Amino acid sequence: MKNKKFVSELFLENGQFILVGLTGRTGSGCTTTANILEDEKTIFPDVSKLQGFYKGLDVHRYNIVKNFTENHWENFYSIKVSDLISVYLLTLTVEEASEFIFSSKNSISKQHLDLVLTGGVFSDNLLSKKFKNVIEHLLNHDSDLKLDVKTINKVISILKLVRKFTKQFKAELNEINSNLYVSAYQLAGKSIRRRGCIEVDFETNDFIPKSVFHLPETINRVIKLIRKNKRDKALIVIDAIRNPYEAKFFKDRYSAFHLISINAPDEHRTNYLRKLHKFSSDQIEEIDAVESGKGDNSYKHLTNPNVTKCIELSDIHIFNPKNEFDNDNILKAQLAWYVALMKHPGLITPTAMERVMQVAYTVKLNSGCISRQVGAVVTDDDNSIKAVGWNDVANGQIPCSMRSLDGLMYDFDEKIYSHYERNNSSFRNQAKGKLLTFRMIDSAGDVYRGRNLSYCFKDIHNSLDKDKKGNQVHTRALHAEENAFLQLAKYGGVGIQGGKLYTTASPCELCAKKAYQLGMSEIIFIDPYPGIAQDHIINIGSKSPELVQFRGAIGKSYHRLYEQVIPIKDELDYLLE
């Protein structure tokens, strides 16, 4: 018995507290995932029901994790970000809420909206009347969070009522316009990140930097209450994280945090939104544009949703085909896989796809690009690695991260700065203006002291060449995939025909053509890069490579999930003794 207790205590920390954040594009299945994790009696499918999703050794791996998860299942507590946005909304009057929601979509009738809010669930506003002090206390981050039983029970009661409110309010808004709920709550998120509350004219008011973390701090206060209520043993899922700084907030605070991206094929996702939610193609494009971080407001990179970046930051990627809307078997199977590993690290070994993508994820850190680091790996058809690459300048040149505006202006080092950069007056004036802006903003030298003020040559050059803005020809760097391909030419490659290309992004049009020409059978990617590589380059001809979205754990989670706490042999021996 002592040995069994010893073994259980070794794994106790993993099972005591698990925090999962979900991210993904609208319609990908984040809410479905949260509902599965929240279910007290989730049943995981047999491998025969997965349509060949797992093959080879992965079949045996799945059977092991399925058996473990079913025997150790504990449901998660779901914190829905939409519910907390509802809490912020419920601090407004009916008139204020109507004006704010109207500003999110001016194509609707203000009179109709007023009637719906006045006669609907919002007008009751019982939550803010009955629990006004508790709500204000929860949203006031300057006050200490009371962890007494009375406060905890009140907040949990509020959140249960808010969930019912959100569901009914969503239905009422969508009766006015099919995507009014999405656009209104997206706008509310922007307002909270900019001002720490919901305001009609938030975009014209001053940006309050600490507001970027206001929503995640509110979530964090709820997490603390739940942990206290459950005496520190808590499995919690956040549905869903849409801003990368919110993801970073939890990554920095909790070692037990895993950011999981739910990825559905675009065709499946858009069909789902059209058929079940009656969204038009224009409405889907509008939602995707907002979620990709686009927008013309100031501080948009801080305040706007950016699901693309959240997917890039994710620790675990789950593939969710939605060609059969009610069939969640493949989604459930992957959840069984990773919940088992969260509770018992090292229970199984990584898949071949995870092993190779982890290499690509690791080598991307060598990149000297100051915009985005990308890694790539080329393998044969059996996933044996033949070449690696990352986006960077040619061998012998100095990466962008190691050059500076000061050096460009004053050093004139011909080995670091090109003849064009040292002599073209238009380019130098543009670069000098950028340097002066840095100095003007930071006249005291407090912010940029000791920092290398590196710059992107392509950005400066394309800002001068208005007709060719974004032209990839002007970049100094080779793409990661291109670099990996060139290693094959430089050192020789064997057995590449029919091989695979792994990339932490996905290939652009130029690299897609090279992959096609090399005879790659598969291109495994994490998140699609904007462009027409798939529709124009890859899906044509008789030998086109198959595009496969990566599924699995990478980065910190790869080690946290697959490294054994103690060797399995020792664990079993302790249990036997």
Side-chain angles (χ1 to χ4, degrees):
M1 287 295 293
K2 287 183 179 179
N3 288 333
K4 288 182 181 179
K5 185 179 180 182
F6 166 70
V7 172
S8 64
E9 286 179 351
L10 281 176
F11 292 95
L12 186 62
E13 183 183 351
N14 297 288
Q16 281 288 96
F17 176 61
I18 297 173
L19 180 61
V20 166
L22 303 177
T23 191
R25 294 176 173 84
T26 296
S28 290
C30 288
T31 298
T32 302
T33 303
N35 291 341
I36 293 169
L37 292 173
E38 201 173 16
D39 197 331
E40 293 182 2
K41 297 179 180 179
T42 293
I43 298 172
F44 297 100
D46 292 330
V47 74
S48 61
K49 305 294 184 184
L50 299 178
Q51 304 169 335
F53 184 73
Y54 290 124
K55 297 182 176 75
L57 289 177
D58 289 347
V59 171
H60 300 284
R61 291 184 175 101
Y62 175 66
N63 285 331
I64 291 170
V65 294
K66 175 181 180 292
N67 183 46
F68 184 90
T69 304
E70 287 176 338
N71 281 277
H72 298 272
W73 178 253
E74 297 169 278
N75 64 304
F76 283 65
Y77 184 96
S78 174
I79 299 175
K80 294 191 178 295
V81 174
S82 56
D83 289 343
L84 292 180
I85 290 176
S86 291
V87 171
Y88 285 86
L89 277 169
L90 286 165
T91 63
L92 306 178
T93 64
V94 174
E95 293 75 19
E96 289 169 338
S98 179
E99 189 177 352
F100 180 82
I101 293 169
F102 178 72
S103 70
S104 72
K105 201 165 189 65
N106 291 321
S107 60
I108 62 176
S109 164
K110 180 66 164 60
Q111 185 178 10
H112 187 190
L113 179 63
D114 288 341
L115 286 172
V116 170
L117 263 65
T118 303
V121 65
F122 195 93
S123 64
D124 296 337
N125 218 350
L126 296 176
L127 296 171
S128 60
K129 291 176 182 176
K130 188 176 181 181
F131 300 112
K132 186 176 181 181
N133 291 337
V134 180
I135 285 177
E136 289 177 350
H137 177 61
L138 181 66
L139 300 183
N140 180 12
H141 300 166
D142 292 329
S143 65
D144 291 332
L145 187 65
K146 295 178 181 177
L147 296 177
D148 56 274
V149 175
K150 187 177 179 181
T151 302
I152 291 170
N153 290 336
K154 276 188 177 181
V155 173
I156 291 175
S157 297
I158 288 172
L159 293 177
K160 287 179 180 177
L161 290 171
V162 168
R163 183 161 299 185
K164 293 178 181 178
F165 165 84
T166 304
K167 186 176 181 180
Q168 191 173 339
F169 193 46
K170 176 181 179 180
E172 291 176 354
L173 292 179
N174 286 347
E175 279 293 317
I176 301 172
N177 185 288
S178 59
N179 76 329
L180 180 57
Y181 166 78
V182 172
S183 59
Y185 273 61
Q186 283 179 340
L187 193 70
K190 291 182 188 177
S191 179
I192 294 166
R193 295 182 195 107
R194 186 179 178 94
R195 298 285 297 167
C197 59
I198 295 177
E199 296 176 344
V200 175
D201 52 356
F202 72 92
E203 289 188 327
T204 59
N205 290 335
D206 290 339
F207 171 53
I208 304 172
K210 68 178 182 179
S211 295
V212 172
F213 299 112
H214 203 281
L215 185 54
E217 182 55 52
T218 299
I219 297 171
N220 196 39
R221 287 162 80 86
V222 176
I223 290 170
K224 290 177 181 178
L225 291 169
I226 294 168
R227 292 187 72 179
K228 183 71 174 178
N229 184 53
K230 295 185 177 288
R231 297 180 181 177
D232 283 337
K233 184 170 185 179
L235 280 61
I236 300 171
V237 55
I238 304 170
D239 172 28
I241 294 174
R242 307 285 187 185
N243 180 283
Y245 294 95
E246 291 167 3
K248 188 177 185 303
F249 178 93
F250 293 107
K251 278 175 173 277
D252 290 346
R253 278 160 181 76
Y254 295 105
S255 62
F257 177 72
H258 298 273
L259 183 62
I260 299 180
S261 69
I262 310 298
N263 304 302
D266 273 344
E267 182 183 351
H268 295 183
R269 185 177 65 89
T270 53
N271 284 341
Y272 170 80
L273 292 174
R274 287 192 192 103
K275 291 182 179 179
L276 268 72
H277 295 284
K278 311 304 180 186
F279 286 3
S280 68
S281 297
D282 289 343
Q283 287 173 330
I284 294 171
E285 285 183 14
E286 180 184 338
I287 292 168
D288 288 350
V290 173
E291 291 185 345
S292 67
K294 296 177 182 177
D296 55 5
N297 59 312
S298 58
Y299 307 105
K300 64 181 181 180
H301 62 291
L302 295 172
T303 61
N304 284 15
N306 192 339
V307 177
T308 303
K309 185 66 176 177
C310 287
I311 293 172
E312 184 185 332
L313 291 172
S314 294
D315 309 297
I316 300 170
H317 299 266
I318 287 180
F319 178 67
N320 183 28
K322 298 172 73 72
N323 51 326
E324 296 178 338
F325 296 155
D326 293 328
N327 185 351
D328 297 321
N329 282 342
I330 290 176
L331 176 60
K332 286 180 178 178
Q334 292 167 93
L335 292 175
W337 187 296
Y338 292 107
V339 169
L341 289 169
M342 288 174 194
K343 290 190 169 188
H344 193 299
L347 192 64
I348 56 172
T349 54
T351 66
M353 184 182 285
E354 288 175 312
R355 169 174 54 82
V356 179
M357 190 60 84
Q358 177 69 2
V359 174
Y361 186 87
T362 300
V363 301
K364 79 173 186 176
L365 300 180
N366 292 293
S367 169
C369 179
I370 62 173
S371 297
R372 188 185 191 191
Q373 294 176 307
V374 179
V377 175
V378 177
T379 74
D380 61 15
D381 62 349
D382 198 34
N383 291 299
S384 176
I385 295 174
K386 301 301 177 183
V388 300
W390 51 88
N391 57 322
D392 214 338
V393 295
N395 188 23
Q397 294 184 8
I398 304 299
C400 294
S401 61
M402 299 182 188
R403 307 196 315 163
S404 71
L405 289 166
D406 291 287
L408 172 65
M409 289 294 105
Y410 307 116
D411 290 351
F412 296 95
D413 190 325
E414 61 184 23
K415 291 184 179 180
I416 300 177
Y417 306 99
S418 69
H419 182 274
Y420 177 89
E421 292 172 304
R422 289 181 284 115
N423 292 282
N424 185 280
S425 57
S426 297
F427 182 90
R428 293 187 65 79
N429 285 337
Q430 194 80 351
K432 188 174 183 179
K434 194 175 182 72
L435 179 60
L436 291 175
T437 302
F438 276 124
R439 289 179 174 172
M440 179 177 66
I441 293 172
D442 188 32
S443 56
D446 293 332
V447 178
Y448 299 114
R449 187 191 304 125
R451 293 182 62 91
N452 188 50
L453 299 180
S454 45
Y455 65 96
C456 178
F457 170 83
K458 184 187 73 173
D459 284 355
I460 295 177
H461 187 280
N462 286 337
S463 68
L464 297 170
D465 195 355
K466 301 293 184 184
D467 293 332
K468 296 181 180 179
K469 192 165 179 65
N471 194 331
Q472 289 292 323
V473 173
H474 298 142
T475 182
R476 298 175 65 238
L478 298 157
H479 287 190
E481 303 91 335
E482 190 178 19
N483 230 334
F485 294 152
L486 287 172
Q487 303 312 308
L488 295 170
K490 192 173 183 179
Y491 300 110
V494 179
I496 297 305
Q497 181 78 27
K500 302 173 185 178
L501 170 65
Y502 286 79
T503 171
T504 58
S506 71
C508 66
E509 292 83 354
L510 297 173
C511 292
K513 285 188 284 188
K514 296 179 177 73
Y516 203 132
Q517 178 65 4
L518 277 171
M520 298 287 101
S521 64
E522 292 182 11
I523 298 176
I524 298 95
F525 62 92
I526 288 181
D527 186 54
Y529 192 86
I532 59 173
Q534 179 175 351
D535 293 337
H536 180 56
I537 304 297
I538 294 174
N539 293 341
I540 189 172
S542 59
K543 297 182 179 180
S544 58
E546 180 186 359
L547 280 175
V548 179
Q549 190 149 21
F550 171 73
R551 51 185 182 267
I554 53 173
K556 182 185 73 174
S557 284
Y558 180 90
H559 293 282
R560 183 171 177 83
L561 296 176
Y562 287 112
E563 285 181 357
Q564 297 173 2
V565 177
I566 57 173
I568 291 177
K569 176 177 174 293
D570 292 347
E571 179 187 345
L572 294 175
D573 284 345
Y574 280 125
L575 293 173
L576 282 171
E577 288 178 8

